[in-house]
Every structure is written in structure tokens, then in C-alpha cells.
Amino acid sequence: MTTEDHTRNANTAATAGDGALLRLEDVHKRFGRLEVLRGVNLQVPRGTVTCVIGPSGSGKSTLLRCVNLLEPPNRGRIIFEGEEITTAKGNDIDRVRRRLGMVFQSFNLFPHKTALENVTMAPAKVLGRDPEECRAKGEALLARVGLADKLDEYPDRLSGGQQQRVAIARALAMDPHLMLFDEVTSALDPELVKEVLDVMRELAAEGMTMVVVTHEMNFAREVADEVVFMDGGVVVEQGPPREVLDNPSHERTKRFLGLVLEH
Amino acid sequence: MDFILDYYFDGGVVSENIDTLLKGFWFTLKLAVLSGVLSLLWGLVLAVLRQLPGKLFLPIRILVIAYIDVFRGIPMLLVLLLVSGGLSTLSAPIGGEVLPRWLGVPEWLGQPSPFWYGVISITITYGAYMAEVYRAGIEAVPRGQMEAARSLGMSHGMAMRHVIVPQAVRKVIPPLLNDFIALMKDTSLVSFLGLAEVVQVGFDIQTAEFNGSGLVFGALLFLVVTIPLARLVDWLIRREQRRTQRGAGPEPDDEDAIPPAPPATGMAGA
């Protein structure tokens, strides 16, 4: 306990004043012999949108999964709201995750629950909020993502785009301080992508802090405050979208963008 | 020919003994339902314990696996004899009265002690079988479900309770019912302890009257329960197949189908 408290205080002191909601320092992640992250440094200031781009296997999804501790990093520190979360254990991990919303590529809605129940489950069970309050909030959130008429539908009756919007509402129901999006449109039919990105655009406009792993370059260009290009488990280049996307300085970034944007 | 018909299908023998036969079957039903419910619960407890994560719970996982291996691997009759003999002896003077009498010779709810030895043995054995069925169900729930639940701040236990187990149980209801049918038939083993369940009653009639009609009647009573259950299992499996097949591949104009990931492109967000 004492060591933990000590570390926490040290971190608070270290991060005071720099304004970053999330800070990654030299984060490493290995799966067996495969080193997926080889020392990632990143800062995400409050109220900003960071889009992480890069080829498959570059470690971008692993990076997100490290941030909410689904994959514990092997080395390095992750500091969220001034607190080092990489050393968290048990209940502390659950408490950190309540402040982190995560949306997955494969939606992962709970198939045995209706859209509304998907949204209300965590606030009701985890935070022990009043069911009526949860319900009202769930309805409001689903209305916000354009699904006011789908409250009682089960996920298998919804299109992919609708399911993903329910998943976003589900994450928002916990009032997260940071939203993580892991290639949330990659499993969608092309015509369903826009409805999901529109919801994300609105969220960004409302000032939500977001880290978005994406292949949607136009979305990144339009919404991101910061674009991070990853390759081979490291951040190769980062900066405002106009620099990274339109005028990349690294050869690897140029090559990747050339491949992605040419068709 | 007449001898054969008389031996197996003598209505007179059955009607003479109808009261004891039905009383015997009532024992069978009580034993099956009570042991069935307890096995379902015990099996679920074992399966959930087996899924506890992390190094801390490794000893528990090992214990559970050992338990399941042992009790799936030995005859239930053996368990029954060890339980009944052990409990009754250990609560008697000859066994040092290690156990209190109410536990060693249980006669709870007005049922005789062989009934309770049966309930305990069946639960021990079928709990192990059903734990394996639950495990298959739990492991069939996609990993993303646990991740989604955990990412919302749920603990492992909460995620199991509200997300994983409800889905797993739905998937394994047919195999659990199959196990229940087997369990019900195995209640007849409790006749070894002298419980007058339906097979024992039929056997007594056969011994006394040199006539198997009581046993045949007992068989019919079993079938009245097990055949509808078997049909129910078939129906549930068919329903589940229809459901999963509908979700398995895209159908024409099927909005629900999830297509494979499209190639990375900058166009769609425009």
C-alpha cells in the first residue's frame, strides 16, 4: 500500500501542470516473443481528439488495449488523470476503467440484453445507480445516437451501424473522462460508416477527449487535433493532421499514406 | 407366447401393486428433481470456480479440475456406497461419532436416509458432469463479451454473473437436459441402499411373484417423463441451430449480417 501511495504522489507531482489527461511513457508490450509495442510515448490533453493511424500490426489496437489495461503493459508507465494506472490491481483496475469508455471493432454488445439494457447495465450494476435514473439516462443517450425508436430491440435485430451506436451509448453511460475507439467502423458496411462517424464527430464537438484508432483518413483530417502515425510498435510521427496527413516528414508515413489514399 | 405376455404384461399384477409402484415412482421423481436442481447449481459453482482468473486462484482451479476428473471417472454406485457407508459409520459409536447423527443419518423433511445419501451422491457425481457442460458454454461465449464487460468497469465476478453465465446457460440447456435424463435413470441405483423407488418395487414384485410386469410398468413410467424431455431437447437444439445459422452468413437483403472488414480507405468518412 505504502509503495503504491508513494508512487501515486510522485506521479501527481510529476504531471501537475502539464494538462495531459493521459500520458504514456515508454510503453512496451510483448506477446511471447513478439514485441508489439517498443516504447510508445504519447500525451493526450483534455478535450482533444487524437487519431492513431498506421498499418495493421503496427500496435495501434494494442496501444488502446493497454490504456484500459485489457492488456497490461510489460514496461513503461501510463498516467491517467495524474495517477499511474499501470501499477493498479484488482478493484483499482475496475475503478480506472469506469472513467475510460471503450468501443470495439466488433461492437461486443450483450446479445441477451435489449439496446436499452445494454446501456443501463453498467451504471446500474457497477455504480449502483437508481434504475429509473439509469433508464432515463439510457433513453437520452440512445436518442442522442439516433436510436430513440430502438430501445427494446435486441442486438441481432439491429444493423451493424446501429449496434455500434448502441455500443457508443453504452460506453457513454458511465460518464467516461476519456473515450477509446478501436477501429470502430472497420467491420461495417461502407454505407453504415457515416452514421457512426457522425456520432463521433458530435462527441468531439462537445469536447469529449478521444483516442481514435482508425483507417478513416478523412475523419482524422477533419476531427483530429493530433494525428499519430505508428509503425512497428513505435510512434513514427505525430502532429496536427495538416502536417502528418498532408505533409508527412517521414518516409514510412509517406509510404503508408500513399497506399491508403491512392484508391 | 402367452407365457411371455403374462410375464411382462400382466395387468393384474400391476393393478394389485399399483399403490407401491406409484409410491416408488414418486420417490424416483422427488429424488430426480431434487438431485437435478442441486446438480445444476453445484455444477455451475464448479464451472465458475474453474474460470477464476489469475495466479491467486490457481490452487482452486486445480482442485476443481481434480474433483471433476475423479467424479466423472468413477461409477456413481461406488460414490453412493462410500457416501452412505461413510456417513452412517462415522456418526455411529463404531466410527468414533465424528459426525453428528443428524448429518450421518439424515432424515430431513421426513425422507429416509437412503434418499438423502442418494441426493448427495447424485449431486456429487452429476455436478461434475454438468460443470463440464457449463464450461463448454462459458468457453463458447466470445472473448469480446468479457472484454466489453470489463471495459465498463465490471469486476470479473460481475461480468460472469450478468454477461457470461446468462449467455452460456442459454447455449447449454439442451446438453444439461440430456444429463438430467441420465440422472433420472441413475436414481435407480439408490435401490442398492434399500430405498423403495420404482425399480426396487418392481424388482420386489418380480422376486415375490415370478413376474416382470411391475418392472415393465416402471419402465413405462420412466418413458412418460424421459421421452417428452428428449423431444424438448431436440426442439431446443433445432431452434438454436436456426438462430445461429441465421446469424452465421449474410443473406440477401439481410441488414443484420456483418460483412468482413473492408479494405482500409479514406473515402468512407467523407
Side-chain angles (χ1 to χ4, degrees):
Chain A
M1 272 327 280
T2 8
T3 3
E4 244 181 68
D5 288 344
H6 175 76
T7 343
R8 193 163 300 162
N9 292 337
N11 293 334
T12 320
T15 49
D18 72 357
L21 182 72
L22 174 74
R23 201 148 55 86
L24 278 66
E25 294 175 358
D26 195 33
V27 171
H28 287 253
K29 178 68 189 178
R30 244 181 307 106
F31 294 106
R33 272 206 215 133
L34 186 66
E35 199 168 14
V36 182
L37 298 179
R38 305 159 181 259
V40 174
N41 294 287
L42 190 66
Q43 297 215 17
V44 179
R46 202 178 288 276
T48 63
V49 176
T50 303
C51 283
V52 183
I53 61 170
S56 347
S58 59
K60 14 185 230 311
S61 286
T62 305
L63 186 72
L64 275 199
R65 295 165 61 81
C66 280
V67 169
N68 81 354
L69 303 173
L70 282 177
E71 305 288 357
N74 297 109
R75 217 171 89 197
R77 306 201 306 162
I78 299 174
I79 293 133
F80 177 54
E81 302 198 303
E83 175 195 351
E84 177 169 0
I85 61 174
T86 11
T87 53
K89 288 200 168 54
N91 293 340
D92 287 335
I93 294 182
D94 298 333
R95 262 197 298 280
V96 169
R97 288 193 182 125
R98 285 169 210 172
R99 289 177 280 143
L100 286 165
M102 176 97 171
V103 186
F104 299 86
Q105 178 176 347
S106 48
F107 326 140
N108 296 343
L109 290 184
F110 307 135
H112 60 304
K113 298 284 178 187
T114 64
L116 183 61
E117 287 166 346
N118 262 277
V119 176
T120 57
M121 184 195 282
K125 307 294 181 196
V126 177
L127 305 176
R129 283 193 190 146
D130 170 59
E132 276 308 305
E133 186 193 327
C134 287
R135 190 182 165 82
K137 182 161 183 195
E139 286 175 359
L141 280 169
L142 284 171
R144 187 165 149 198
V145 297
L147 295 172
D149 56 336
K150 303 286 184 191
L151 300 179
D152 299 320
E153 294 284 1
Y154 283 89
D156 69 345
R157 300 271 86 208
L158 299 173
S159 74
Q162 291 168 336
Q163 288 191 53
Q164 197 57 296
R165 285 185 279 152
V166 174
I168 294 173
R170 178 176 70 175
L172 290 174
M174 292 295 283
D175 296 319
H177 300 180
L178 172 65
M179 284 285 284
L180 307 170
F181 294 86
D182 187 9
E183 300 197 32
V184 295
T185 56
S186 297
L188 295 176
D189 273 331
E191 74 271 21
L192 302 176
V193 167
K194 186 174 177 296
E195 64 189 51
V196 172
L197 292 181
D198 282 346
V199 168
M200 291 165 67
R201 277 191 193 94
E202 274 170 41
L203 259 183
E206 288 161 18
M208 174 63 77
T209 315
M210 297 162 50
V211 179
V212 184
V213 169
T214 187
H215 291 292
E216 304 290 344
M217 294 305 151
N218 288 333
F219 176 83
R221 183 175 286 118
E222 184 194 332
V223 179
D225 298 291
E226 184 93 347
V227 172
V228 173
F229 173 68
M230 279 184 72
D231 194 10
V234 292
V235 173
V236 175
E237 183 166 4
Q238 70 182 93
R242 219 163 307 165
E243 281 174 26
V244 178
L245 295 178
D246 299 335
N247 195 13
S249 49
H250 284 255
E251 203 46 48
R252 277 196 281 179
T253 321
K254 284 180 194 162
R255 215 177 322 133
F256 172 73
L257 289 172
L259 284 170
V260 172
L261 295 175
E262 88 195 350
H263 52 243
Chain B
M1 190 63 192
D2 281 352
F3 282 112
I4 298 174
L5 280 178
D6 280 350
Y7 187 82
Y8 289 114
F9 302 105
D10 188 333
V13 172
V14 171
S15 59
E16 270 168 42
N17 296 285
I18 190 76
D19 282 353
T20 36
L21 279 166
L22 287 178
K23 233 179 108 191
F25 191 63
W26 180 230
F27 257 125
T28 300
L29 274 182
K30 282 191 288 191
L31 197 53
V33 170
L34 184 59
S35 313
V37 169
L38 291 175
S39 301
L40 281 170
L41 294 173
W42 178 227
L44 184 57
V45 168
L46 289 170
V48 168
L49 288 177
R50 192 179 176 158
Q51 299 291 327
L52 287 175
K55 279 198 200 95
L56 189 64
F57 294 111
L58 185 64
I60 292 184
R61 290 199 296 272
I62 290 175
L63 274 177
V64 170
I65 291 168
Y67 172 96
I68 292 171
D69 281 353
V70 167
F71 288 104
R72 270 199 319 170
I74 59 178
M76 199 180 90
L77 180 57
L78 209 152
V79 177
L80 190 68
L81 296 174
L82 288 176
V83 165
S84 60
L87 287 181
S88 56
T89 305
L90 290 175
S91 63
I94 194 174
E97 295 183 307
V98 184
L99 296 174
R101 188 109 187 115
W102 63 266
L103 185 64
V105 188
E107 286 175 346
W108 310 318
L109 305 175
Q111 304 296 327
S113 59
F115 178 86
W116 292 108
Y117 295 144
V119 169
I120 294 167
S121 308
I122 294 170
T123 304
I124 287 174
T125 305
Y126 274 86
Y129 281 115
M130 290 184 178
E132 284 299 278
V133 174
Y134 284 118
R135 177 169 77 126
I138 289 170
E139 287 176 356
V141 176
R143 207 169 57 118
Q145 290 290 309
M146 178 56 95
E147 291 184 346
R150 297 306 300 270
S151 79
L152 289 163
M154 289 188 209
S155 63
H156 174 86
M158 244 185 234
M160 287 299 279
R161 179 168 156 213
H162 297 296
V163 177
I164 307 299
V165 169
Q167 293 182 55
V169 168
R170 249 161 262 219
K171 285 176 202 281
V172 297
I173 287 172
L176 285 177
L177 279 175
N178 269 332
D179 274 359
F180 179 75
I181 293 173
L183 177 153
M184 185 171 175
K185 295 185 299 174
D186 275 354
T187 57
S188 61
L189 288 172
V190 185
S191 63
F192 252 82
L193 307 181
L195 185 76
E197 51 73 57
V198 69
V199 175
Q200 180 67 47
V201 172
F203 184 59
D204 288 344
I205 294 168
Q206 190 183 41
T207 318
E209 308 195 16
F210 301 101
N211 190 297
S213 303
L215 283 171
V216 170
F217 184 70
L220 288 176
L221 291 175
F222 269 102
L223 293 175
V224 164
V225 179
T226 54
I227 289 178
L229 272 177
R231 290 292 85 76
L232 178 64
V233 171
D234 291 346
W235 180 76
L236 287 170
I237 291 174
R238 265 203 312 280
R239 199 182 62 162
E240 182 67 21
Q241 272 171 353
R242 268 204 306 277
R243 222 199 254 155
T244 45
Q245 272 159 14
R246 188 170 60 82
E251 287 168 27
D253 299 317
D254 187 356
E255 263 208 347
D256 302 344
I258 300 163
T265 161
M267 301 301 292

